[in-house]
Amino acid sequence: MVNCAKCNGQAALKRPKNGDALCRSCFFDAFEREIHATIVGNDLFVRGDSVAIGASGGKDSTVLAHVLNLLNERHDYGVKLVLLSIDEGITGYRDDSLEAVKRNKLEYGLPLEILTYKELYGWTMDEIVAKIGLKNNCTFCGVFRRQALDRGAWKLGVNKVATGHNADDIAETVLMNVLRGDIARLQRCTQIVTGQEGMLPRCKPLKYTYEKEIVMYAHFKKLDYFSTECIYSPNAYRGH
Amino acid sequence: MSVGVVEMDRLSLTPKTEGGTATNRRCVKCPEAGILSGLDPKKAVYCRPCFMQMVMHKFRSSIGRQRLFKDGESRKTVVIFDGTPAAAFLLGMIRSGLAADAHHRLQLDPVVVAVVTKLDRQEIDAVIKRIDTIKSYLQCDWHIVHLAAVLSDNLQDLSSSSSEICPGVDQLDRLIELFSSIRSESGRSEMKVRLRTALLYRMTETMGVSKMMTSDTADRLAKLSLSSLALGRGAQMSEDTAVVDKRHPKVAVIRPLKELSDKEVGIFNRFEQLDELTVIVGDPDRASPAVQTITDSFVTHLQAGFHSTLTTVLSSASKVKTATTSRIRCAFCFSSSDDRFCLACRGILDEVGEPSLLPSSLQ
């Protein structure tokens, strides 16, 4: 029997971040504590903030919603949280993940707003792909989604947006920007809060959280999320 | 050897036709048929003599641009020979450069240093014998040393006549023990590289020489950039890939082959028969995955599909500098640091299970 490194009870897992053997509750504790430290250490929220959580129904945003809700209560951040979802109009992918978000809303009791590309831009991603083909569509979608989040946030009257970008995402982005020679993006992409000039600040509370740990947390907490990747993603440069 | 999309016939070194005759294209420098290319076959093709000229010119201009050997600066330079085709190429360039007429002669006084990293005594002997046969190609002082020499606290001045054929072999067991006490394959790989660099710096400094020249090609440097980034050495990216790297207070590192790819070097070597000057001085990478080997394959694979990968990575790397204003230099790698050792070196030193095996300067 392997002992939990913290409490000496029976270990249930091995932490991907540092290989520690931990029992479930010590893992939850460490995971939540570290995110709390990130939030406090980087002054991500102040009392009275109204924050929209970019919620796709996937593991990152589901865990983000769960943990922010929990920490907000536990540490009395005094922040108002809402869920904001964007429907790009990708059949068989987005419609299913949105069902997961709706279940989240019910579970956490948080208000939910859904915006669609069709309403905002007059096009669904399916229609865009049909027009421009399978290459480069991820770039378009990313740009549209960012703007959509801003619009949704404005509509909701919030003053901040929180997204579920994790450590693996940031590492991928750094590598991708080096490979593409995009020095300007390289400089901005590791910032934990972006978009302050004239736009709504967007923060990444999960910036230092490993993707594997997010999956592990969601699994052991039995959180409800949607886990298939976008049908158009095999063609993105990021995939390489 | 051939990494690009234009497949070369291995014997004649002419390209296999790929979607239309490659030989329809003309050399970009003269009216002859264009049959050879550098990194990107879609950009430039050359006839054989123009290709050779292009490669030689890249080497000469890398050095010439730096004005390293003008203005009364000593011309004595340690040339690091690691037995790779790039190292063979460098020897070839130096030899032909020194043989040129006065007006074009390479202003460089070479001392060759070869670091052996093999861990088996018999293999070490074989490497030494092989290097002995290569020595005569470039007439100058040659020093063969084993990596283990870095573990001794006193590195004698190797330019003085030493009875040891390959100093450092006496510390071999200690080195083997040191490597065994490191937990990960990535850690072992990284330690090997750092120790080797530290050894070369110390040797060069002890010899009273202020410059050392490596045979790192664009491929090697691009791969190094990405694995360094993954290992927490992102701040050192621009120094690691600069043609002239002055982070050490006494010794400058020169990388004249930065603009050349392994592919160009390979073709050149084949035509000039420089392949005979190669030798394997170390053990091949083990099967167990390490950050460095995975990065190497990743870059090679990416370059095959996206031809500007190497140049873009090097260009990005040259623009990434540390923001620190600290004047302290890491005692291991000599990069900017906030403490005796930079964070990345602290990490690799912490991985050693038996710190007493390290030289006192690193403990």
Side-chain angles (χ1 to χ4, degrees), chain B residues 76 111-113 141-145 154-167 202-209:
Chain B
K76 200 139 195 228
V111 173
V112 181
V113 172
D141 280 342
W142 277 68
H143 298 290
I144 306 176
V145 66
N154 301 316
L155 203 60
Q156 314 136 306
D157 184 356
L158 287 147
S159 59
S160 62
S161 57
S162 168
S163 55
E164 278 183 86
I165 303 168
C166 182
R202 270 167 71 192
M203 278 183 66
T204 307
E205 194 183 347
T206 317
M207 282 194 251
V209 176

Side-chain angles (χ1 to χ4, degrees), chain B residues 93-242:
Chain B
M93 285 287 102
I94 292 176
R95 185 168 119 149
S96 63
L98 292 175
D101 63 64
H103 192 66
H104 295 109
R105 189 171 302 147
L106 191 61
Q107 302 292 332
L108 187 154
D109 186 11
V111 173
V112 181
V113 172
V115 179
V116 180
T117 54
K118 285 258 184 208
L119 297 176
D120 173 87
R121 279 173 207 272
Q122 279 185 312
E123 289 177 17
I124 293 171
D125 284 335
V127 170
I128 295 171
K129 281 197 177 58
R130 175 107 178 100
I131 295 179
D132 278 338
T133 63
I134 296 172
K135 272 190 206 180
S136 50
Y137 181 80
L138 187 64
Q139 300 285 349
C140 64
D141 280 342
W142 277 68
H143 298 290
I144 306 176
V145 66
H146 194 277
L147 180 63
V150 75
L151 298 179
S152 60
D153 292 329
N154 301 316
L155 203 60
Q156 314 136 306
D157 184 356
L158 287 147
S159 59
S160 62
S161 57
S162 168
S163 55
E164 278 183 86
I165 303 168
C166 182
V169 178
D170 55 317
Q171 304 271 358
L172 183 62
D173 292 327
R174 192 170 153 193
L175 185 69
I176 293 173
E177 230 190 299
L178 179 70
F179 283 149
S180 316
S181 79
I182 296 175
R183 284 175 298 179
S184 65
E185 192 55 45
S186 304
R188 253 187 298 274
S189 222
E190 181 66 359
M191 181 57 90
K192 202 193 277 190
V193 168
R194 295 294 140 200
L195 285 177
R196 185 174 171 273
T197 309
L199 175 64
L200 286 164
Y201 269 134
R202 270 167 71 192
M203 278 183 66
T204 307
E205 194 183 347
T206 317
M207 282 194 251
V209 176
S210 62
K211 292 178 269 293
M212 67 184 187
M213 199 178 260
T214 74
S215 55
D216 295 326
T217 55
D219 299 58
R220 183 94 307 273
L221 293 174
K223 290 167 183 174
L224 177 73
S225 297
L226 293 184
S227 43
S228 291
L229 191 59
L231 294 170
R233 289 185 189 274
Q236 298 158 17
M237 271 175 111
S238 59
E239 284 171 321
D240 279 345
T241 54

Side-chain angles (χ1 to χ4, degrees), chain B residues 65-81:
Chain B
R65 210 181 292 149
Q66 300 300 331
R67 302 191 65 79
L68 289 158
F69 302 107
K70 314 247 165 108
D71 311 330
E73 276 274 316
S74 158
R75 300 172 338 174
K76 200 139 195 228
T77 304
V78 163
V79 174
I80 301 166
F81 178 73

Side-chain angles (χ1 to χ4, degrees), chain A residues 174-175 177-183 186 237 240, chain B residues 226 229 237 298 302 306 309 312-313 316 319-320:
Chain A
V174 168
L175 201 53
N177 287 329
V178 168
L179 289 168
R180 294 193 117 165
D182 197 335
I183 303 301
L186 185 62
Y237 184 73
H240 287 277
Chain B
L226 293 184
L229 191 59
M237 271 175 111
F298 173 66
L302 208 57
F306 299 95
T309 300
T312 308
V313 170
S316 302
K319 294 171 188 154
V320 178

Side-chain angles (χ1 to χ4, degrees), chain A residues 51-89:
Chain A
V51 180
I53 300 174
S56 64
K59 58 173 175 23
D60 299 325
S61 55
T62 299
V63 167
L64 179 66
H66 177 90
V67 173
L68 278 189
N69 202 24
L70 189 153
L71 292 177
N72 190 25
E73 213 127 313
R74 182 185 290 167
H75 298 283
D76 187 31
Y77 290 163
V79 168
K80 177 165 169 267
L81 296 170
V82 301
L83 297 172
L84 172 59
S85 239
I86 308 296
D87 179 0
E88 307 95 339

